[in-house]
Amino acid sequence: MAYAEKVYKVRNGKQTKQYTWKACYKKPDGRKGTEPGFPTKTTAKEWGEAQEAAIRAGRWIDPSLQRITFGEFARKWMKVKPKRGNTVDKRWNLLQRHIFPKWEHAPLIQINWFDVDAWQQGLGCDDVTAGHCVSLMSSILTGAVDAKHLAVNPLFGRRRTRVTATVGIAKKTDEEKWVRPEVVLQMAQRLGPAIGLHVLTTAFTGLGWGEGAALHRDNVLRVRRQPHDGGWFECPIIQVDPLVGELVEYTGRDEDGGKTGMVLQLEPPKNGKRARGIDIPPFLAELLRYHLEDWPHPYVFCTPSGTFWRRSNFTRANIRPAADGREALPVVRGRAARDGWEPIMPGLTMRDLRHTHDTYQDQIGVRPALAFEQAGHARPGIKAVYQHPTPAMRQERLDGLQEIYERAMGNLGWRTLWGRVDLRKAPKKGRLLNPPQMISTAEELAA
C-alpha cells in the first residue's frame, strides 16, 4: 500500500528542519518506487495510490521513462525502425536540422501540442518540410507510447496551424506543373537523341527520375501478351525491375546519424506498385529501338561514358540550360564555340515531366484502373479490388498517347526528331554525344 515519507532539505552539508514529502509505492516487479517533491503528506500518498491503481489496471507508465529526453528516445527509435537508405537520410536531416535544436533535451512528458504547433509555425523552412517535421515527431511519440514511455501521443490526430501568408516563396501554378507536348518535343530535340530521349520517355511513360536512371536495356522493349478478341493483344513495354528498379542517391548514415559519405546505388522501387510494366506507344518504341542499336552501354539513360547520372549533375548540365536558355560562347583555346539557346520553359524539372504523363492520361480519358497501374500509384478504395485493366483499355491509351505526339509534331511543323527520316537514326559510328541543331520549321526539314 502506498505511503509517504519526509525528505529533509540539506544546506551547507547539514540537515535543516525544512522538508518535503516523497511518495512510496510498489512497482509491478515488487520493488519500491519513489517520487519526491510533494508539498504535503496527503498529496504524496494520493499520488502513490494512483500509481498502484494504474499498475493493477495494467496502464501504468514508469515516471522515470517519461522523463527520458526526446533526443535519447528518437535515436533509439531510429535504430529499431529500419527504412530504405534515402528515407533514413531524410529523417536524420529533419531531426538534426529542425527538430533537435528545439526538442532534443525536452523530456517526453513535457511535450504538448500547443508548444509544438507554435514551434512549427516559426520554422525557417517551407510548409511541406514543417509538416514532415511534425509528422516525424508524431511517429516517434507514438513509438514512445508503444514502448510504455508515454500514456498518449499529444500530437496524434492534430491539425497544424498553417502560416496565413508566405513571403518570398514563388510557387508553381497548375499550368507550370505539366508540360505541353510541343515543349516536350522541343526539349528533346534540343538535348539530342540520348538525353532528349530520356526527357521524351519520362513525359510519355511517367518514369520517375530514379526509375529512368536505373533502366537497363534488358528491361526495354519487352512484350506484353494477353488473349484478346479470339487472338492476342501485344505491345512493347518498359519493365521497372522489382529488385534493382530505382537509382537512389542519399547521404549514408550510421546508427547515431553520423554521415558516412554519399551513396549512389540501385535498390528496389520504394513500393510494390512502382515495380510495373509500362505500355509504350509506337513512336516511342521505335525511338528506343534505334537508340539501343547504337548506344554502347547497359543502362539506357546513363552518361555518355556509361556511369550513372547524379540528379543534380543531370539537371545542371542538361535540363536547366535547355529549359531556361543559355548564352552563346565564342571559341577560345581549349573550348569550342557554343550556340545560344532561347528559353523554352524556365523552371521545368523532371518531376514536372512525370506529372505531365499522368496529366496526358487524364486528358485522353485513360480508365482509372489502368491510369493508376501505369503511373505506379496505389489506387484507393474498393474499386482497386474489383476493377482491372483490359487489352482494350491498353490499346485506347496507346492510341491516345500516339495522337498527342503526332498532333504536337504537326503543330511544330516537324516530320522527324533529331533530323532523322521516319524517326530513324542515320548510321553513325561511335556515340551520339553532340546533338544536332534544333530543326524548328517545315522549310528547314524539307531542306
Side-chain angles (χ1 to χ4, degrees):
M1 183 175 180
Y3 59 95
E5 291 181 349
K6 286 183 180 179
V7 179
Y8 286 92
K9 296 182 178 180
V10 177
R11 184 179 294 115
N12 297 327
K14 294 182 179 181
Q15 180 176 301
T16 68
K17 293 182 179 181
Q18 296 178 328
Y19 59 86
T20 57
W21 290 91
K22 175 175 65 177
C24 303
Y25 61 98
K26 183 183 290 187
K27 289 185 175 182
D29 58 6
R31 293 184 299 160
K32 177 182 178 180
T34 62
E35 184 73 14
F38 294 94
T40 66
K41 179 178 180 180
T42 300
T43 55
K45 184 178 180 181
E46 288 177 347
W47 188 89
E49 289 173 345
Q51 302 307 301
E52 292 184 343
I55 291 171
R56 290 192 296 271
R59 51 182 173 78
W60 180 71
I61 304 295
D62 190 336
S64 64
L65 297 180
Q66 293 179 317
R67 288 192 286 268
I68 288 176
T69 65
F70 178 84
E72 180 181 350
F73 184 80
R75 290 181 172 88
K76 177 181 177 181
W77 184 85
M78 288 291 291
K79 290 179 182 179
V80 299
K81 296 290 184 180
K83 290 288 185 179
R84 299 170 81 246
N86 194 35
T87 302
V88 172
D89 179 44
K90 289 179 179 178
R91 285 177 171 177
W92 276 117
N93 188 56
L94 292 175
L95 286 169
Q96 294 174 342
R97 293 187 59 186
H98 302 293
I99 300 174
F100 279 173
K102 171 67 176 179
W103 301 105
E104 180 175 10
H105 303 295
L108 293 172
I109 192 62
Q110 291 184 7
I111 298 175
N112 62 77
W113 173 244
F114 181 86
D115 291 340
V116 171
D117 191 38
W119 161 76
Q120 64 88 21
Q121 292 180 64
L123 283 175
C125 59
D126 60 272
D127 186 67
V128 172
T129 301
H132 290 167
C133 289
V134 175
S135 177
L136 179 56
M137 284 189 68
S138 181
S139 297
I140 293 172
L141 292 178
T142 295
V145 173
D146 296 339
K148 295 291 186 180
H149 287 43
L150 288 175
V152 296
N153 173 4
L155 311 189
F156 180 78
R158 304 304 298 265
R159 180 174 295 180
R160 293 187 303 121
T161 302
R162 303 297 181 91
V163 179
T164 55
T166 303
V167 180
I169 299 178
K171 294 185 177 180
K172 288 185 176 182
T173 65
D174 285 341
E175 291 184 356
E176 294 172 322
K177 293 177 182 177
W178 71 280
V179 188
R180 293 183 297 109
E182 292 83 3
V183 171
V184 174
L185 294 176
Q186 288 174 323
M187 285 286 294
Q189 176 71 30
R190 174 171 280 183
L191 288 168
I195 296 170
L197 187 57
H198 191 175
V199 167
L200 195 65
T201 301
T202 301
F204 281 88
T205 65
L207 281 173
W209 162 256
E211 295 166 346
L215 186 61
H216 194 280
R217 64 190 306 126
D218 291 345
N219 290 322
V220 179
L221 299 180
R222 290 191 175 190
V223 177
R224 185 189 302 280
R225 193 168 190 261
Q226 296 176 322
H228 178 60
D229 261 359
W232 296 93
F233 167 80
E234 293 184 348
C235 74
I237 67 169
I238 287 174
Q239 180 67 46
V240 178
D241 196 298
L243 299 178
V244 288
E246 185 168 358
L247 180 69
V248 295
E249 180 181 350
Y250 58 90
T251 302
R253 305 271 184 168
D254 58 26
E255 287 188 345
D256 297 319
K259 296 181 180 180
T260 60
M262 183 60 65
V263 176
L264 186 67
Q265 65 183 19
L266 297 175
E267 290 186 0
K270 62 183 180 181
N271 59 57
K273 295 296 183 181
R274 296 295 287 269
R276 64 200 187 278
I278 306 174
D279 306 332
I280 51 180
F283 82 89
L284 187 57
E286 188 163 2
L287 288 174
L288 285 166
R289 185 173 297 111
Y290 285 103
H291 175 62
L292 293 178
E293 286 181 1
D294 60 15
W295 189 245
H297 308 299
Y299 291 95
V300 181
F301 299 129
C302 61
T303 69
S305 62
T307 59
F308 289 126
W309 279 105
R310 289 187 59 177
R311 185 168 189 161
S312 58
N313 291 344
F314 181 87
T315 301
R316 182 176 61 255
N318 303 303
I319 300 300
R320 291 279 58 80
D324 303 346
R326 71 182 186 191
E327 294 181 358
L329 293 178
V331 61
V332 296
R333 185 174 181 180
R335 186 190 67 197
R338 186 184 75 179
D339 293 334
W341 284 346
E342 292 296 321
I344 293 178
M345 184 176 177
L348 182 147
T349 66
M350 293 296 281
R351 182 182 291 273
D352 294 335
L353 293 168
R354 176 164 162 78
H355 285 202
T356 293
H357 168 254
D358 219 19
T359 302
Y360 289 169
Q361 289 197 126
D362 197 38
Q363 174 183 316
I364 60 180
V366 177
R367 307 301 173 87
L370 180 59
F372 277 87
E373 178 211 78
Q374 294 290 282
H377 296 155
R379 187 182 182 188
I382 193 63
K383 295 300 183 183
V385 178
Y386 283 92
Q387 293 182 351
H388 310 281
T390 66
M393 292 180 191
R394 295 186 186 280
Q395 187 60 59
E396 185 178 8
R397 171 182 173 275
L398 294 175
D399 292 343
L401 292 176
Q402 183 74 16
E403 183 181 355
I404 287 176
Y405 163 77
E406 292 176 354
R407 181 182 296 120
M409 290 288 284
N411 291 340
L412 292 170
W414 296 358
R415 293 198 310 270
T416 69
L417 284 174
W418 309 301
R420 281 140 186 198
V421 178
D422 297 331
L423 304 179
R424 295 173 180 269
K425 296 181 179 181
K428 180 178 180 180
K429 296 181 180 179
R431 302 171 187 159
L432 302 172
L433 304 185
N434 300 315
Q437 293 301 306
M438 187 172 178
I439 300 175
S440 57
T441 64
E443 289 75 18
E444 289 175 306
L445 279 167

